[in-house]
Amino acid sequence: MRVILSLILLSITSSLFAQTGKITGKVISSKSGEALVGATVAVQGTQRSVATDLNGAYSFPGLAPGTYSLVVSYVSYSTKTIPGVVVKAGDVTEMNIALDETAAINQAVVVKAAGRNKENTATLLIIQKNSPSTSDGISAEAIKRTPDRNTGDVIRRISGASIQDDRFVIIRGLNDRYNAAFLNGAQLPSSESDRKAFAFDIFPSNILENVVIYKTATPDMSAEFGGGIINITSKSIPSSNFVTLSLGAGYNTLATFKDRTGYVGGKSDWVGLDDGTRAVPKGVPSVNDFNKLLPVDKAQYAKLFANNWGLTSGKSFPYSNAQLAVGRNFTRQGQDFFGLLFSASYNKNPGYTFNEKNIWEYDRQAPSTPPVLRNKYEDNIYSDKTLAGAMLNLSVKLSPKNTISWKNMVSINSEDRLILREGQPDFDGDPLTTARIHGRWFTSNLIFTTQLIGSHILNKSNLRLDWEGALSRVKRSIPDLRQSVYINSSSSGTDQYYADVAYGTLSPDNGGTHFYSNTDEKIYSGKLDITQPFKFMGSAQNFIKAGAYYQRRSRAFDARLLGFGEYNVGGTYFDYDLLTLPEDKIYADENLGGKLANGQGGFTLIDGTKPTYSYSASSNLASGYIMADQRFGKKLRAVYGVRYEWYKQKLNSFIDYGVPVYINTKKGDVLPSINLVYALNAKQNLRFSYSQTLNRPEFRELAPFTFFDFVTRYTIQGDTALQRTLINNYDLRYEIYPGRAQLFSVSAFYKNFSNPIELVSSPNSNNTAIYQNAKSARVYGFEGEIRTLLSTVFNPQNTGFLDKLTIALNASFIFSEIKLNDYLNISAKDLIEKRNLQGQSPYLFNGSLSYADDKSGFSTTISINRAGPRIYIVGTVNDLDIYEQPRTSLDFQLDKSFQDGKWDLKLNIKDLLAQKLTYFYDVDQNKKYNASVDKIFARNTFGRIISLTATYKF
């Protein structure tokens, strides 16, 4: 720690007194986009020259301010001279350079125009155009021009992607379970206890270098995806020393400075962790020991619980955020040697929010009968979200051909919710009966990942060795979900609410309950890649690549349900007058512990924990691959090969009545893939790809654990019989790169699923959903993207206002056909449904209009996002499909820098339209909301968020 602090202080002082500048960049092949290792870069008129490293990178630190020319040469490539490269004191000039292959001797090219912007733009386009697989992404520079605060917000800007519940990624309309999340190339575990998904709101956007979504497979990447692989790259080692500090505040139109209701939590809630305030009281026996006790002894343990059921009142505070970033670059013998990047961020996101929610639950007696309203509720939800993170990346360049990096990240994401619910629990039987339900729900996610990464060029033939070892850990806890329930029955004849508590047995929907759960998951992984370039048909840009990957996962999950119930033991009878007490007094100490002072019974402690409430699981994945990246002439490139994955999965749990469940599956899969890229000309590509991928059941989806979601009032259950999904993928894409960071592409895709996994309503119980395999599914669609300067559209000669305006649009249209299994008890004619897979949208749309003036330091962006209706839960015999209705999100940002970029002021307005989020029963089965026929399941109301952030660079 002392070393880190010393480096941070040193970076501050050195940045304040910097008197020289630096030129840095990469050298790549203009034809292939590959890095040129060992290219010579010289500063003309000086004695300084360097060879590019294994990533094609070079740097010239310690240059006096002025204007320079660079001369770049490489064997079998034309020598290029770049004049007019300006160096400023304390600044870094980035100059990426693309060289052309040539058979001529001593052929040279001189860039006559001001070279910096043109060279950088051309290089970035070459890298994107020459990607071996179909992919889309967003860079750190583009992220800066959006109002996005976390990675989830960022991803929805990418073509073919959208976000569900503000954090789960949908790619090409496919459910989040069909995607895989990676950080710097290492796979991340599921961040959720109850679904196969990763919550991308965990990572702050300001730590991102880029986010790339790979939509087609190559043998050297994981084969476990159907929609895409999301690879998050954290910011790399800086090319210069810097310290930046950002502070911001925000206003929520629905909540900030308005009255709010809350409850007393723990002292460390502000950082997103519970301090033990909500833990099971010390002294309460384990489940097995508790169940062996006599009823009179069980009652005494009720006294260990604090009377913390009271509510508080106050005002909602503004959203706040802060971030510190420190970069340090050390040189040795005039070259980059060691680098450090440290970042710490804290967000109240968006800081004491409030939204309203309505819930209506319907039943049908038979498929031909209309739905009948069973109950309805209105919720006021107060939420306090905290996002805190820190990153420390270290890198050492041992030589131009050997680098080692150590990347570390920790993130805490928590939400503390108070839900005040009122409604009619028996609308069809007794509509005059009303209920008042209060839920306190604290959820905390802690993610830690550390990675050791190495890259080496081993000999003169440029044999490349890349390796990585990684450890990731996720700890998710719900330390105390407390619920109080009061019922006012019409049969009482009075306007009196009575507490609804357990009698004998305890269930999650009783009042006076405490629910606790903990998930602890670890991932150990390691990989090795070997790449050997070779010449073929006159081109040196051909590669044979082989590698291996191993991953070990383990998860421990346990939950416990405790609650208060009526004490009726040995002639002592419960005092029913207690049920009329308000929630801040009903569970006071004098009312707990069995027989009371008045001789009547009080509240006893009941353990409702079932054997299914815990499970342990592990998996081992070993894979190897071999692939070729080969060029046939000047036009055709083929990336092809095969990957083998051997997978072993274990799970230990119980079903009802304590019957043990043991799952031990082993499966090996041979997974081929091919990507063909045909260059129609220097700016146009035609791509075709085929791959076989898969999707395995998550631990939670296999476990028989039944979880009651207080927010949705649905119970989610696993299925021990789930099978893995095999997917055949076909893609066709046409793309144009006109230059100047512009792009046009159109794609078509087809996917065939065997045993797709969906979340389906249980035909045997109300408000219960279970994970199930359908028999098969076909998914096909189209997507297009355009990113262009408006000057190109209206006036190609314009170099003024229109040349600073960029419009970006992307859209996807997806269609599905599902073949169901017989377990749904559906007649044969209904076994094929032309509906989307659960969680899949039929269309996605993203758009933005940006203005950027580098000279004035002014930029502004307005962006829009919309995803089509998607099935939230699949209906069965008597249950209707529940859909999520589309909502349009419109965001705006205004950014202005001052004093040559030292100061930056950013104004963001998020969710300008503040449209409601609606879930509905699709009564007429037309897959869209019809207010006159369809029935609403739930509806959320949100506020607009206006924030202002100031950043200073030391």
Side-chain angles (χ1 to χ4, degrees), residues 423-466:
Q424 295 158 276
D426 189 20
F427 195 88
D428 55 337
D430 186 359
L432 298 180
T433 295
T434 57
R436 187 172 66 229
I437 306 170
H438 295 170
R440 303 149 182 83
W441 191 347
F442 184 87
T443 305
S444 179
N445 286 287
L446 173 63
I447 291 185
F448 169 74
T449 179
T450 182
Q451 301 163 306
L452 189 63
I453 305 168
S455 297
H456 313 275
I457 300 292
L458 299 183
N459 52 41
K460 293 183 179 180
S461 65
N462 286 334
L463 178 71
R464 179 168 179 146
L465 178 70
D466 294 281

Side-chain angles (χ1 to χ4, degrees), residues 26 88 92 180 200 345 382 410 537 607 614 823 845 883:
K26 288 186 177 182
K88 297 179 181 180
V92 176
F200 284 92
S345 60
Y382 298 89
V410 62
M537 296 182 66
D607 196 329
S614 65
Y823 70 84
F845 175 77
Y883 272 81

Side-chain angles (χ1 to χ4, degrees), residues 200-326:
F200 284 92
D201 61 344
I202 284 174
F203 297 134
S205 62
N206 50 29
I207 68 166
L208 304 179
E209 180 65 30
N210 59 60
V211 180
V212 177
I213 297 177
Y214 297 97
K215 299 176 180 176
T216 62
T218 54
D220 58 344
M221 66 175 62
S222 170
E224 189 169 2
F225 74 95
I229 288 179
I230 305 107
N231 186 46
I232 303 166
T233 302
S234 62
K235 288 185 176 180
S236 58
I237 300 306
S239 55
S240 63
N241 302 326
F242 69 87
V243 178
T244 62
L245 177 65
S246 300
L247 297 173
Y251 176 83
N252 185 310
T253 58
L254 199 62
T256 307
F257 301 130
K258 294 180 172 61
D259 294 335
R260 66 170 279 115
T261 304
Y263 72 97
V264 177
K267 294 180 180 179
S268 60
D269 287 2
W270 66 275
V271 78
L273 299 172
D274 180 65
D275 62 357
T277 298
R278 301 176 178 86
V280 178
K282 292 182 180 180
V284 175
S286 65
V287 176
N288 290 334
D289 290 342
F290 186 86
N291 290 334
K292 296 176 184 177
L293 298 174
L294 295 173
V296 66
D297 295 323
K298 292 180 179 179
Q300 294 304 308
Y301 285 104
K303 286 184 170 293
L304 296 179
F305 288 80
N307 182 21
N308 52 8
W309 294 82
L311 300 180
T312 62
S313 60
K315 297 287 185 180
S316 291
F317 296 106
Y319 154 73
S320 60
N321 71 83
Q323 195 240 1
L324 172 68
V326 178

Side-chain angles (χ1 to χ4, degrees), residues 705-726:
F705 169 61
T706 300
F707 173 71
F708 175 69
D709 187 334
F710 183 85
V711 175
T712 64
R713 288 183 45 81
Y714 250 81
T715 298
I716 310 298
Q717 183 177 337
D719 180 8
T720 57
L722 279 182
Q723 302 295 311
R724 84 192 191 299
T725 304
L726 285 176

Side-chain angles (χ1 to χ4, degrees), residues 672-685:
S673 66
I674 182 170
N675 286 264
L676 300 176
V677 184
Y678 186 79
L680 299 172
N681 54 44
K683 295 184 177 181
Q684 299 182 58
N685 280 339

Side-chain angles (χ1 to χ4, degrees), residues 460-686:
K460 293 183 179 180
S461 65
N462 286 334
L463 178 71
R464 179 168 179 146
L465 178 70
D466 294 281
W467 55 269
E468 178 178 316
L471 164 65
S472 296
R473 188 170 186 181
V474 174
K475 299 187 74 173
R476 176 180 171 89
S477 65
I478 301 175
D480 187 6
L481 196 170
R482 277 174 284 151
Q483 179 178 240
S484 64
V485 180
Y486 284 80
I487 302 294
N488 182 4
S489 176
S490 64
S491 61
S492 66
T494 64
D495 188 20
Q496 177 66 58
Y497 280 87
Y498 293 88
D500 179 22
V501 298
Y503 179 82
T505 58
L506 186 70
S507 65
D509 57 356
N510 284 132
T513 55
H514 298 260
F515 176 81
Y516 310 85
S517 74
N518 288 281
T519 305
D520 190 355
E521 180 165 350
K522 300 175 184 176
I523 292 184
Y524 301 91
S525 64
K527 70 175 183 177
L528 176 68
D529 298 302
I530 300 174
T531 307
Q532 176 64 65
F534 66 94
K535 287 188 176 181
F536 179 75
M537 296 182 66
S539 173
Q541 298 299 314
N542 300 278
F543 304 90
I544 291 289
K545 190 174 182 181
Y549 175 79
Y550 178 78
Q551 179 194 90
R552 163 74 179 178
R553 288 180 64 194
S554 63
R555 175 186 285 191
F557 173 83
D558 65 88
R560 192 169 188 184
L561 178 65
L562 295 168
F564 301 121
E566 301 175 8
Y567 184 81
N568 292 285
V569 177
T572 301
Y573 299 100
F574 181 70
D575 183 358
Y576 285 95
D577 288 339
L578 295 177
L579 300 182
T580 63
L581 295 175
E583 61 182 340
D584 62 337
K585 295 180 180 179
I586 185 172
Y587 303 121
D589 186 70
E590 61 268 21
N591 300 329
L592 307 177
K595 192 172 183 179
L596 305 180
N598 62 5
Q600 294 183 282
F603 292 105
T604 185
L605 184 65
I606 301 176
D607 196 329
T609 307
K610 297 181 179 180
T612 60
Y613 278 30
S614 65
Y615 65 87
S616 62
S618 65
S619 67
N620 292 275
L621 172 64
S623 61
Y625 72 90
I626 185 168
M627 62 177 279
D629 186 346
Q630 200 165 355
R631 287 159 178 80
F632 298 86
K634 296 182 179 180
K635 297 286 188 179
L636 181 63
R637 177 187 184 188
V639 181
Y640 58 95
V642 65
R643 184 179 183 90
Y644 178 77
E645 293 196 351
W646 181 84
Y647 187 73
K648 179 179 180 180
Q649 188 175 45
K650 294 182 178 181
L651 186 138
N652 293 281
S653 186
F654 299 89
I655 58 177
D656 289 336
Y657 310 110
V659 178
V661 171
Y662 179 63
I663 297 174
N664 186 1
T665 59
K666 301 175 184 179
K667 187 67 178 178
D669 291 286
V670 178
L671 304 163
S673 66
I674 182 170
N675 286 264
L676 300 176
V677 184
Y678 186 79
L680 299 172
N681 54 44
K683 295 184 177 181
Q684 299 182 58
N685 280 339
L686 185 64

